[in-house]
Amino acid sequence: MNIESFLIMRHELLLTAAAMLMLLAELLTAPKNKAGLRPFAVIVFLLVTIAGFLPATTGSIFGGMYVTSDLQILVKNFLNIGVFIILLQAHKWLKFEENSNKVGEFYILLMSTLIGMNFMISSGDFLMFYIGLELATIPVASLAAYDFYKARSAEAGIKLLLSSALSSGIMLYGISMIYGTTGSIYFAEVMTKIGTEPLHVLAFIFFSAGMFFKISVVPFHLWTADVYEGAPISVTSYLSVISKGAAAFIFMIILFTVFRPLISMWQDMIWVLAVLTMTIGNLFAMRQKNLKRFLAFSSISQAGFLLLGIIGGNKLGMTSVVYYILVYIVSNLAAFTVVSSISNATGKENMDDYDGLYLTNPNLSLTMMLALFSLAGIPPLAGFFGKFFLFTAAAEQGFYILVLIAVLNAIISLYYYLLVIKAMFINKNDNPIAKFKSDAATRIGLILCLVGMAAIGFASPIWEYIRLYTFGN
């Protein structure tokens, strides 16, 4: 293997170099100068993100264990953009005194888990996939327990670790069945040997159950709300957007390729799970008063909508899923960044705390409103086009009843998103959250999200660019 073929792992190598650089900076920086690590990390990651868009070589190495194509590079770049916004979002929170002695750890763990996501996305066999999955999961469990002096954060870390271990065990059981019945773990070889025999079907069910844990699909969603509520907000953002986006993408790729012979079976299964996930996520979201739990159940519902793009198993469905992941990154991170900004300034995270927020903090209120409208699918924001393409992909394959149920769920979601907007703009409050000014990093992050929500829907080249690299019948 020459150096050029090794460089197809450019994203992973850049992230590894960035993590090592942060480790060295952490070791060599005197305690009184640790504050400089924050802008340093943001600049380093910005350079990594920009480098990801440079022309790249595609191909496979390690005998096909690692593969990369323009589609995988595109998704990695989307995830890098999301993580960059999360770094901006976390900038002020990391200034707090209780975090002053562990700033470097946050960046190193975040980059480590992203390296795992990238390996998972580029996996060409189940071994590389599983290594990437574990590399992504263990650091993020540590991040969930980052506020270890808070019981809820420690509990979130433990719950995430245990639920991940359980799901990994179930998934490994499925992978072992795949190997036992096909004699291979390479995606390309398994695809030619898998059929509808009972053991193949059972292997698929175990593997899919493990993936549904990662994506928070009902009934494998129970860990989500507690972990999201207990983890620091920036970690919750990462779990909700980056982790879920990467898992949904690679699961779709494996369904479209490895398990293609079982399409009639997994279409029925996804049909049922999509309905349950959208409906239960929405019904529980309506009852939430804490905004982190509210966004957790909202993200469960959004996972149900993502399944509409997957179910068709065609090119339009894959394009709509990748497109929706990009839309979801900017929309959900905008909402989480507003919640983070208010929590950092006041410590308040409940919906009734937002009563009358517009009177004192109009810019944050308007940003939150646009983010929620985008998540609900209100035109002309990007979320509308994202849902439209998902619905179209499902309808094109004849899943009309599923699309009807999805439309009804979109209406239900609009109701509970409006509850937050009502609190900010209509509800009276004699003592609303006092006016405060967000730091520059937070404002830049919010501007990026707003520009994304406005531009993605109208910039048809983005859709065409994604469509150029997707595949399917």
Side-chain angles (χ1 to χ4, degrees):
M1 189 172 69
N2 57 39
I3 189 70
E4 287 185 3
S5 59
F6 197 64
L7 288 176
I8 70 170
M9 296 196 301
R10 183 179 65 184
H11 283 78
E12 292 81 0
L13 293 173
L14 285 170
L15 284 170
T16 304
M20 295 300 294
L21 200 58
M22 284 306 305
L23 181 60
L24 285 173
E26 167 76 15
L27 292 173
L28 299 176
T29 305
K32 63 179 181 180
N33 297 325
K34 293 283 186 186
L37 288 175
R38 294 191 303 274
F40 178 70
V42 172
I43 292 170
V44 167
F45 196 83
L46 176 61
L47 294 175
V48 169
T49 304
I50 293 171
F53 284 93
L54 297 175
T57 307
T58 59
S60 66
I61 53 175
F62 306 134
M65 288 180 70
Y66 180 97
V67 295
T68 188
S69 66
D70 291 321
L71 178 62
Q72 275 127 339
I73 291 171
L74 185 67
V75 172
K76 289 175 186 176
N77 286 333
F78 287 171
L79 298 185
N80 279 353
I81 293 171
V83 172
F84 178 68
I85 295 172
I86 290 172
L87 292 187
L88 295 173
Q89 179 194 105
H91 197 262
K92 184 174 182 181
W93 166 66
L94 290 170
K95 287 182 181 177
F96 292 168
E97 187 178 353
E98 61 265 28
N99 298 325
S100 59
N101 63 343
K102 50 181 180 175
V103 171
E105 286 95 318
F106 177 80
Y107 296 115
I108 294 166
L109 288 170
L110 198 70
M111 291 176 190
S112 299
T113 185
L114 188 58
I115 293 169
M117 300 277 174
N118 283 350
F119 273 116
M120 191 170 69
I121 287 170
S122 280
S123 54
D125 75 346
F126 284 104
L127 179 59
M128 180 64 79
F129 166 82
Y130 187 73
I131 291 171
L133 183 69
E134 290 304 310
L135 182 56
T137 302
I138 295 171
V140 87
S142 303
L143 285 171
Y146 190 79
D147 289 338
F148 55 86
Y149 47 85
K150 294 180 181 176
R152 286 194 311 177
S153 181
E155 180 185 337
I158 291 291
K159 281 187 176 176
L160 181 56
L161 196 63
L162 292 178
S163 60
S164 296
L166 176 63
S167 65
S168 292
I170 294 171
M171 186 186 296
L172 270 181
Y173 198 49
I175 292 173
S176 67
M177 285 185 177
I178 291 170
Y179 179 68
T181 52
T182 65
S184 176
I185 54 172
Y186 286 88
F187 293 166
E189 291 180 7
V190 172
M191 182 171 53
T192 61
K193 296 177 181 177
I194 204 158
T196 54
E197 290 82 358
L199 270 181
H200 289 164
V201 173
L202 201 56
F204 165 71
I205 291 173
F206 278 116
F207 176 79
S208 299
M211 289 305 298
F212 290 142
F213 265 106
K214 307 298 180 189
I215 309 173
S216 302
V217 171
V218 173
F220 308 100
H221 67 293
L222 295 175
W223 61 276
T224 310
D226 289 345
V227 172
Y228 280 25
E229 185 182 8
I233 294 175
S234 296
V235 179
T236 304
S237 305
Y238 184 88
L239 281 166
S240 171
V241 177
I242 308 300
S243 178
K244 185 171 291 187
F249 173 76
I250 188 62
F251 183 52
M252 175 179 66
I253 295 291
I254 292 174
L255 283 181
F256 280 35
T257 55
V258 179
F259 294 115
R260 188 84 196 175
L262 301 176
I263 186 169
S264 60
M265 195 196 79
W266 59 253
Q267 279 182 331
D268 292 341
M269 183 177 72
I270 287 181
W271 195 102
V272 174
L273 293 179
V275 171
L276 288 175
T277 305
M278 287 185 289
T279 307
I280 292 177
N282 279 339
L283 292 178
F284 276 87
M286 284 194 290
R287 301 177 53 195
Q288 304 307 314
K289 299 301 178 189
N290 178 280
L291 279 166
K292 288 164 74 179
R293 290 184 73 87
F294 171 84
L295 290 172
F297 282 105
S298 159
S299 78
I300 292 170
S301 172
Q302 297 290 345
F305 287 112
L306 265 180
L307 294 179
L308 265 72
I310 295 175
I311 194 170
N314 60 356
K315 184 177 178 68
L316 176 60
M318 182 179 286
T319 309
S320 63
V321 169
V322 176
Y323 181 83
Y324 197 73
I325 288 172
L326 179 61
V327 170
Y328 187 61
I329 285 173
V330 292
S331 304
N332 216 31
L333 285 183
F336 270 113
T337 304
V338 172
V339 174
S340 170
S341 182
I342 292 173
S343 177
N344 289 338
T346 66
K348 295 180 177 178
E349 295 178 355
N350 290 328
M351 195 181 296
D352 54 8
D353 294 329
Y354 283 44
D355 288 350
L357 182 69
Y358 177 71
L359 297 174
T360 53
N361 293 278
N363 291 336
L364 285 178
S365 303
L366 288 168
T367 304
M368 188 67 160
M369 182 187 73
L370 291 173
L372 296 178
F373 276 167
S374 184
L375 288 171
I378 300 295
L381 296 166
F384 165 75
F385 296 98
K387 281 197 169 63
F388 173 77
F389 290 132
L390 288 173
F391 293 173
T392 303
E396 190 186 64
Q397 296 298 308
F399 297 103
Y400 300 116
I401 295 176
L402 178 61
V403 173
L404 177 62
I405 295 171
V407 170
L408 292 174
N409 271 288
I411 295 170
I412 295 171
S413 71
L414 177 60
Y415 164 74
Y416 62 72
Y417 288 132
L418 284 174
L419 290 178
V420 183
I421 296 168
K422 174 175 172 286
M424 294 187 297
F425 289 88
I426 297 177
N427 288 359
K428 303 295 182 185
N429 191 349
D430 294 333
N431 188 25
I433 291 173
K435 182 177 177 59
F436 67 92
K437 189 174 181 180
S438 303
D439 66 313
T442 300
R443 292 201 296 275
I444 294 171
L446 287 173
I447 289 170
L448 288 175
C449 292
L450 288 172
V451 170
M453 283 190 287
I456 292 170
F458 290 103
S460 59
I462 295 176
W463 167 265
E464 295 299 332
Y465 187 71
I466 297 170
R467 186 176 176 79
L468 185 66
Y469 297 121
T470 52
F471 59 88
N473 295 329

